[in-house]
Amino acid sequence: MKKVILIGAQGKMGQAALTGLQKHHVITASRSGNGTDYQVDITDKKSLKALFEKVGPFDAVVNTVGYCEYADFTDMTDEQWDATVQSKMIGQINLVKVGLEFINDGGSFTLISGILNVKPIPMAIADATTSGAIDTFVRCVAHELPRSIRINVINPTVLEEAWDVYGDMMPGFQPVPGTLVGKAFERSVDGFITGQVIFVDA
Amino acid sequence: MKKVILIGAQGKMGQAALTGLQKHHVITASRSGNGTDYQVDITDKKSLKALFEKVGPFDAVVNTVGYCEYADFTDMTDEQWDATVQSKMIGQINLVKVGLEFINDGGSFTLISGILNVKPIPMAIADATTSGAIDTFVRCVAHELPRSIRINVINPTVLEEAWDVYGDMMPGFQPVPGTLVGKAFERSVDGFITGQVIFVDA
């Protein structure tokens, strides 16, 4: 049994991840802190550090959050780009950087991207671009991590559980059940792979 | 003959691009403005807009600049990440956004990334991550560009002309001549392809 910090536990992706973490001691965190063990804002390094300090030694961090703005490229403002970059991209990078100071030897980080960087759709250029950045970051930074620490990223298509929200903007996409995405998180946390982009698509 | 704006014309990559643009009317720009027709700072939207306004109607923009900081992941500061993101990633995205208001129908943008996102080396995590972002941006945003405007990105390995500077940090890499990279820029500007990452590697 590993001690796993799950960030974004209240969201649909967090609930999907949770299905793959049943054998572990899962400590939950979310932006609001409502219904979770801890509050954390991944865009704030101090908030991340405070979370890791409060939790104490842990074996894995699973992140399922990354805020994105959606707009046509020609309409997307500097502020929308910045909000997306600071959360989905830099937020996750900082999560790893700060987490490295606290995670146990042989621990793992599992980040989140999303299928729109390989299956583009209208309105999603910031989501796609930052997903591409995170997929690349994981593939490359894995070579640098000390103490046998691993890192992977889950790149899922839309969840069945979120199809009512996203279905209209994703014509021709086949949603997958959260439990299948949960398997990907499990494979990252419980396997020995590192530097992998684990696609979950149908 | 097309009217092509070449940004970073004084650099080694700019000189490489220039070898592929011989049949065109090339207008040069650089950060300092020394030895080029215009001065431009790609991290400043106002500077980009001023360049395009001064040049008047044009058919293509070729960008060969994107500042990157180099450090081990665990040592890289927030400021180093930000400098890299604001230049190589957001700078190039803004170049396209601002340029779209001025470029002729059927025009093209050619951006620059670099091979380290697929061949990682120590110290280059910010370079690699932002190259991954730009490669993804180009593949996805191509679907959104209006008026038959195209976009591609050149993803080259190290130039022979720059081997004295980068060779020590890139063991086992085979540099390529600038004229070969120039062919890639030519293929982007003079072809009909769009949304492509044009790798130039040996």
Side-chain angles (χ1 to χ4, degrees):
Chain A
M1 193 174 76
K2 297 176 180 180
K3 192 166 165 185
V4 180
I5 302 174
L6 173 60
I7 299 176
Q10 297 287 77
K12 289 185 168 69
M13 194 57 69
Q15 291 295 304
L18 200 55
T19 66
L21 302 171
Q22 295 302 314
K23 67 177 69 123
H24 298 300
H25 174 206
V26 179
I27 291 148
T28 57
S30 65
R31 176 76 181 261
S32 70
N34 294 335
T36 57
D37 300 321
Y38 295 96
Q39 190 277 332
V40 70
D41 175 0
I42 68 163
T43 68
D44 179 350
K45 284 172 83 174
K46 287 179 187 164
S47 175
L48 286 164
K49 187 173 183 186
L51 170 69
F52 298 136
E53 284 176 339
K54 282 182 221 154
V55 170
F58 56 87
D59 301 298
V61 182
V62 170
N63 180 56
T64 64
V65 301
Y67 177 77
C68 293
E69 289 275 353
Y70 294 86
D72 286 331
F73 174 62
T74 49
D75 295 333
M76 188 162 285
T77 65
D78 293 352
E79 292 70 25
Q80 288 179 302
W81 272 106
D82 193 58
T84 306
V85 167
Q86 293 307 322
S87 179
K88 187 157 187 176
M89 181 178 164
I90 298 295
Q92 293 200 90
I93 290 170
N94 281 339
L95 183 158
V96 178
K97 185 167 181 196
V98 177
L100 272 177
E101 299 169 31
F102 299 92
I103 197 166
N104 289 335
D105 290 1
S108 71
F109 294 94
T110 307
L111 305 185
I112 187 77
S113 60
I115 206 70
L116 302 180
N117 62 331
V118 290
K119 289 186 171 178
I121 62 170
M123 310 286 282
I125 190 65
D127 180 331
T129 301
T130 52
S131 282
I134 285 298
D135 285 0
T136 304
F137 169 74
V138 165
R139 286 187 176 114
C140 295
V141 85
H143 301 281
E144 290 195 56
L145 299 188
R147 301 186 287 112
S148 301
I149 295 163
R150 297 179 300 109
I151 184 167
N152 298 291
V153 53
I154 312 303
N155 186 325
T157 192
V158 62
L159 296 174
E160 284 180 0
E161 293 82 354
W163 186 247
D164 58 334
V165 179
Y166 297 109
D168 282 348
M169 67 187 287
M170 299 176 74
F173 283 68
Q174 173 63 45
V176 295
T179 50
L180 186 63
V181 177
K183 295 282 186 183
F185 283 100
E186 182 177 0
R187 198 150 68 86
S188 175
V189 172
D190 291 311
F192 62 6
I193 60 174
T194 190
Q196 301 282 313
V197 180
I198 306 178
F199 288 97
V200 186
D201 198 7
Chain B
M1 191 176 77
K2 298 176 180 180
K3 191 165 165 185
V4 180
I5 302 174
L6 172 60
I7 299 177
Q10 297 288 76
K12 289 185 168 67
M13 194 59 68
Q15 291 295 305
L18 199 55
T19 66
L21 302 171
Q22 294 302 315
K23 67 176 70 127
H24 299 300
H25 175 205
V26 178
I27 291 148
T28 57
S30 65
R31 177 75 182 264
S32 69
N34 294 336
T36 57
D37 300 321
Y38 295 96
Q39 189 278 333
V40 69
D41 175 1
I42 69 164
T43 69
D44 179 350
K45 284 173 81 174
K46 287 179 187 162
S47 176
L48 286 164
K49 189 174 181 186
L51 170 67
F52 297 136
E53 284 175 339
K54 282 182 222 155
V55 170
F58 56 88
D59 302 298
V61 182
V62 169
N63 181 55
T64 64
V65 301
Y67 178 78
C68 293
E69 288 275 352
Y70 293 86
D72 286 331
F73 174 62
T74 50
D75 296 334
M76 189 163 283
T77 65
D78 293 351
E79 291 71 26
Q80 287 179 300
W81 273 107
D82 193 56
T84 307
V85 167
Q86 293 308 322
S87 179
K88 186 158 188 176
M89 180 179 165
I90 297 294
Q92 293 201 89
I93 290 170
N94 282 339
L95 182 157
V96 177
K97 186 169 180 196
V98 177
L100 272 177
E101 300 169 32
F102 298 92
I103 196 167
N104 289 335
D105 290 1
S108 71
F109 294 94
T110 306
L111 305 185
I112 187 79
S113 61
I115 206 70
L116 302 179
N117 63 330
V118 290
K119 289 186 169 177
I121 63 169
M123 311 284 284
I125 190 64
D127 179 332
T129 299
T130 52
S131 282
I134 285 297
D135 284 0
T136 304
F137 169 74
V138 165
R139 286 188 176 112
C140 295
V141 85
H143 302 281
E144 291 195 56
L145 299 189
R147 302 187 285 114
S148 301
I149 294 163
R150 298 179 300 109
I151 184 167
N152 299 292
V153 53
I154 312 303
N155 186 325
T157 192
V158 62
L159 296 174
E160 285 180 0
E161 293 82 353
W163 186 246
D164 58 335
V165 179
Y166 297 110
D168 282 349
M169 67 186 288
M170 300 176 74
F173 284 68
Q174 173 64 45
V176 295
T179 50
L180 186 64
V181 177
K183 296 282 186 183
F185 284 100
E186 182 178 0
R187 198 151 69 87
S188 175
V189 172
D190 291 311
F192 63 6
I193 59 174
T194 190
Q196 301 283 311
V197 180
I198 306 178
F199 289 97
V200 185
D201 198 8

